Amino acid sequence: MIRIRMMNFKEALTYDDVLLVPKYSDIKSRSEINIGNNLDDNLHLSLPIIASPMDTVCESSMANQMSNNGGLGIIHRYNTIGEQVEHVRKSKENNDNIIGAAVGVSDDCEERALALYDAGA
């Protein structure tokens, strides 16, 4: 097992250190399985995966694909409010799409949150 020593001398595991051991299952078909999950009373994800709000991970294209496949994309906040709003609008061409957007805690967080809500996030 590979262990990494952190600067404060705590140990951490890497992906290669974790092994999921399969067990017997009497499931006959993948169609019997429901992996969906409710995030709240009004938001159900049929694919419980949320794309990270990073500029290299989730913009309008990824958010759109995540929503189309049952997941959730959170559009990153590392741009102007107007640019982030435009990403949300591009993702909302299909009104059924569920799109999230990161806000942060900077001085513009309230203005950003309101603009993103108005855009459909």
Side-chain angles (χ1 to χ4, degrees):
M1 178 184 292
I2 300 171
R3 293 198 180 262
I4 299 173
R5 290 241 175 231
M6 308 301 276
M7 288 182 66
N8 59 1
F9 301 105
K10 291 185 179 181
E11 291 184 328
L13 300 176
T14 67
Y15 289 107
D16 292 334
D17 295 327
V18 179
L19 174 65
L20 299 177
V21 179
K23 292 191 175 190
Y24 173 78
S25 171
D26 58 0
I27 296 170
K28 307 254 186 283
S29 168
R30 283 181 254 169
S31 64
E32 296 178 30
I33 300 170
N34 178 359
I35 61 170
N37 202 334
N38 293 327
L39 292 182
D40 66 16
D41 292 338
N42 300 314
L43 182 56
H44 177 80
L45 298 180
S46 56
L47 178 66
I49 297 176
I50 300 175
S52 176
M54 296 170 53
D55 58 349
T56 57
V57 175
C58 195
E59 290 186 334
S60 55
S61 178
M62 174 62 103
N64 216 7
Q65 290 301 317
M66 291 296 296
S67 183
N68 289 340
N69 289 287
L72 176 63
I74 308 293
I75 296 177
H76 69 87
R77 64 181 179 93
Y78 303 113
N79 46 32
T80 67
I81 294 172
E83 290 169 338
Q84 191 180 21
V85 163
E86 188 57 31
H87 281 294
V88 170
R89 287 190 177 135
K90 284 182 186 176
S91 303
K92 294 295 288 181
E93 284 166 6
N94 175 356
N95 286 334
D96 294 337
N97 279 2
I98 299 169
I99 305 299
V103 176
V105 294
S106 60
D107 293 339
D108 69 355
C109 66
E110 189 173 333
E111 177 187 357
R112 185 177 292 268
L114 292 171
L116 292 166
Y117 178 81
D118 289 342

